[in-house]
Amino acid sequence: MKYLIGNFKMNKTFFEVESYIEALSYLIEQNANKLSNIKIGIAPSFDSTHLSYIHSNRNFLFGLQNIYHELNGAYTGEVSLNVAIAADIDFILIGHSERRSLFNETNELINKKISHLEKTRITPILCIGESLEEFENNQTFTVLENQIKSALKNIEDHKNLIISYEPVYCIGNGIIPEASHIKKVVDFIHSLLHDETPILYGGSVSLNNIDILEQVDNLSGYLVGGASLNAAKFIELALRIK
Ligand code: PGA
């Protein structure tokens, strides 16, 4: 089973997500035979969360891009895990590089969010990745090990976890790393976790490079930003995944 997850980021209104869902559901149904080996998911922004509840009979996964690490209280402007549970959310992105760099999310905070999620049936998709400087200084493995170990600190059972490897310098600019680099990273993550946790790749995945990425034989799928925003193109991408 492979995953194709769309991260809409801050790009669609609730009305746009509604029509996207209509198109996506139809296209998945039309291509059901060809897509039987792939789970397709979308993560719109918080204002669309209730659409998950409305579409509880859906043929795709519904996720969120972030969550707060407390269940309730005086946290103006934040969204509780209780909201995600009530809306029947399937997965939540945790520690996306934009959250880390623009909103100061630390590994400690990410650890709190994952601990929280591990007590529910909602799958955390933990995003990790090195910066260009770290890559050039040969620090990729040290950085990833630190991100994973601190995110999973004191979490004994992470069977409900997905990891997305997203080198920061490849996000949103059309560049992907060498396939051999991704393969080495995925093997490294598996060796750290001693298990079969699904590992996705994210960063400029598109119809232009999906065939190259598909040659990385140990990947379990992709986390896609820009190329997920059009439902028809997103399904085209899904149809190229073996
Ligand atoms: P991109 O974003 O596909 O637009 O590069 C990927 C991500 O940030 O998850």
Side-chain angles (χ1 to χ4, degrees):
M1 181 60 71
K2 280 198 175 173
Y3 295 86
L4 180 66
I5 306 292
N7 172 11
F8 291 176
K9 308 194 179 185
M10 203 178 70
N11 278 312
K12 281 186 190 293
T13 65
F14 146 73
F15 297 105
E16 289 165 339
V17 176
E18 255 193 329
S19 21
Y20 186 106
I21 285 176
E22 214 174 290
L24 185 75
S25 311
Y26 173 78
L27 289 164
I28 294 177
E29 201 183 305
Q30 291 299 302
N31 292 285
N33 285 341
K34 293 183 202 147
L35 296 175
S36 60
N37 205 26
I38 176 160
K39 284 190 181 172
I40 295 172
I42 56 166
S45 51
F46 282 131
D47 63 315
S48 295
T49 307
H50 65 294
L51 291 176
S52 169
Y53 182 73
I54 291 172
H55 295 275
S56 53
N57 261 336
R58 57 187 172 255
N59 54 8
F60 58 94
L61 303 174
F62 200 115
L64 297 177
Q65 301 170 15
N66 182 31
I67 203 72
Y68 199 60
H69 61 280
E70 296 286 349
L71 285 182
N72 42 47
Y75 304 105
T76 303
E78 291 299 324
V79 175
S80 161
L81 189 53
N82 279 338
V83 172
I85 294 168
D88 202 15
I89 290 293
D90 297 301
F91 68 89
I92 304 182
L93 306 182
I94 301 291
H96 187 280
S97 68
E98 286 148 21
R99 301 289 323 160
R100 292 177 192 257
S101 66
L102 302 172
F103 302 97
N104 304 321
E105 283 203 9
T106 59
N107 284 323
E108 290 67 36
L109 182 65
I110 288 163
N111 175 245
K112 284 186 187 158
K113 295 185 181 196
I114 303 238
S115 318
H116 224 49
L117 272 171
E118 283 295 329
K119 295 180 200 117
T120 71
R121 54 157 287 282
I122 300 174
T123 301
I125 302 188
L126 168 64
C127 303
I128 57 168
E130 80 279 28
S131 67
L132 183 58
E133 197 188 345
E134 289 159 346
F135 172 73
E136 286 174 345
N137 290 331
N138 277 326
Q139 291 171 322
T140 299
F141 294 118
T142 321
V143 170
L144 298 181
E145 179 164 3
N146 180 36
Q147 287 176 337
I148 291 176
K149 287 200 169 152
S150 28
L152 300 182
K153 197 171 160 200
N154 298 328
I155 297 173
E156 263 135 51
D157 177 9
H158 53 262
K159 61 179 183 313
N160 190 27
L161 172 76
I162 295 179
I163 290 187
S164 186
Y165 169 54
E166 309 209 309
V168 180
Y169 48 96
C170 292
I171 294 180
N173 59 12
I175 297 168
I176 58 165
E178 297 281 330
S180 59
H181 174 78
I182 302 176
K183 183 170 167 33
K184 266 190 240 157
V185 166
V186 177
D187 281 342
F188 175 71
I189 300 171
H190 279 310
S191 74
L192 277 183
L193 295 176
H194 307 292
D195 64 18
E196 290 304 305
T197 299
I199 300 168
L200 318 182
Y201 167 79
S204 295
V205 176
S206 75
L207 286 165
N208 295 333
N209 54 34
I210 190 69
D211 297 336
I212 299 170
L213 290 166
E214 275 293 285
Q215 286 163 22
V216 184
D217 57 17
N218 53 2
L219 270 181
S220 292
Y222 308 94
L223 179 56
V224 182
S228 69
L229 294 174
N230 176 293
K233 293 217 168 104
F234 193 44
I235 289 297
E236 237 184 277
L237 201 58
L239 290 168
R240 298 265 283 275
I241 295 173
K242 288 167 233 129

